């Protein structure tokens, strides 16, 4: 796992150098849609602006996700009040996540159940968000994120936010059960 994490970090740092921090944020959001698909969700909405960033349906309800990308691994983060309001459960079984992708040096996710952030006003450092995070979800997202990056390697630059979101809305996951979707490996996207 450590070597895959380092390899994913080098690949993501290369993409960051090529496209810059704003674009990497959009692409990370697009990659998150494929993590949700691999976890068994059906992605129904993806927004480049507005709230929430991603909406997906699961067996037990709807999950709403607000995404942030941290390109240096040292930032402070907290969703805006509008973001938190958009993440609130509307029905039993619904979930809301604030998910931060740490892009460097070792890519991973911190996934925080949104209710854990209610009432907070100040941005929080990553260690505190990590302590508040949903360990199981953070580990699952991190493993799939690293796998997605490593499996697509140098082709990562070919996947814009629009392309990643479009594939997700068609339910065409770049990773299936932890395995690369064969139709996508052939370039048939």
């Amino acid at each position: 796992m450590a070597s895959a994490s380092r390899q994913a970090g080098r690949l993501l740092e290369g993409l960051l150098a090529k496209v810059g921090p704003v674009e990497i944020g959009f692409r990370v959001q697009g990659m998150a849609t494929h993590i949700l698909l691999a976890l068994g969700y059906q992605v129904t909405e993806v927004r480049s602006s507005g709230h929430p960033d991603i909406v997906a349906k699961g067996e037990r309800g709807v999950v709403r996700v607000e995404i942030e990308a941290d390109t240096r691994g040292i930032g402070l983060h907290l969703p805006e009040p509008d973001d938190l309001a958009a993440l609130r459960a509307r029905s039993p079984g619904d979930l809301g996540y604030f998910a931060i992708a740490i892009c460097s040096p070792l890519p991973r996710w911190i996934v925080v159940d949104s209710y854990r952030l209610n009432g907070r006003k100040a941005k929080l450092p990553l260690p505190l968000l990590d302590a508040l995070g949903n360990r199981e979800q953070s580990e699952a997202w991190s493993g799939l994120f690293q796998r997605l990056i490593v499996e697509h390697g140098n082709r990562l630059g070919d996947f814009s936010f629009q392309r990643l979101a479009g594939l997700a809305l068609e339910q065409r996951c770049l990773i299936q059960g932890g395995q690369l979707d064969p139709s996508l490996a052939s370039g048939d996207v």
Side-chain angles (χ1 to χ4, degrees):
M1 181 71 135
S3 65
S5 181
R6 281 191 288 279
Q7 183 181 5
R10 285 190 298 272
L11 290 164
L12 205 52
E13 285 172 357
L15 182 61
L16 174 62
K18 183 177 175 181
V19 302
V22 173
E23 180 62 24
I24 202 80
F26 285 113
R27 291 184 191 213
V28 162
Q29 181 180 332
M31 290 181 212
T33 63
H34 292 271
I35 291 168
L36 287 166
L37 288 171
L39 291 171
Y41 290 95
Q42 177 186 12
V43 174
T44 58
E45 297 176 42
V46 184
R47 296 182 179 93
S48 60
S49 63
H51 315 290
D53 292 331
I54 303 167
V55 177
K57 290 181 184 176
E59 288 181 12
R60 290 181 254 163
V62 174
V63 64
R64 293 170 183 83
V65 186
E66 188 66 29
I67 302 289
E68 286 192 12
D70 187 308
T71 59
R72 299 174 299 148
I74 57 171
L76 299 172
H77 301 273
L78 186 69
E80 297 295 324
D82 290 348
D83 296 328
L84 275 176
L87 298 176
R88 286 198 183 98
R90 290 162 179 77
S91 300
D94 286 0
L95 299 169
Y97 292 135
F98 178 54
I100 305 104
I102 300 167
C103 299
S104 180
L106 304 174
R108 67 184 183 97
W109 284 90
I110 297 174
V111 180
V112 182
D113 294 294
S114 61
Y115 72 86
R116 305 240 14 210
L117 300 172
N118 289 340
R120 295 189 183 269
K121 304 290 183 211
K123 292 189 175 205
L124 304 174
L126 292 173
L128 182 52
L129 286 164
D130 198 24
L132 291 170
N134 180 319
R135 185 79 46 222
E136 183 180 324
Q137 287 298 315
S138 296
E139 288 176 6
W141 282 52
S142 294
L144 290 165
F145 187 46
Q146 292 168 11
R147 180 167 239 157
L148 174 72
I149 294 165
V150 170
E151 286 180 347
H152 287 282
N154 295 328
R155 289 190 57 222
L156 216 49
D158 297 339
F159 293 104
S160 67
F161 167 77
Q162 291 80 9
R163 189 169 184 204
L164 289 162
L167 288 168
L169 290 168
E170 294 172 3
Q171 311 310 308
R172 295 184 64 201
C173 186
L174 291 173
I175 38 180
Q176 293 283 340
Q179 299 297 317
L180 182 64
D181 181 339
S183 71
L184 297 174
S186 67
D188 182 26
V189 287

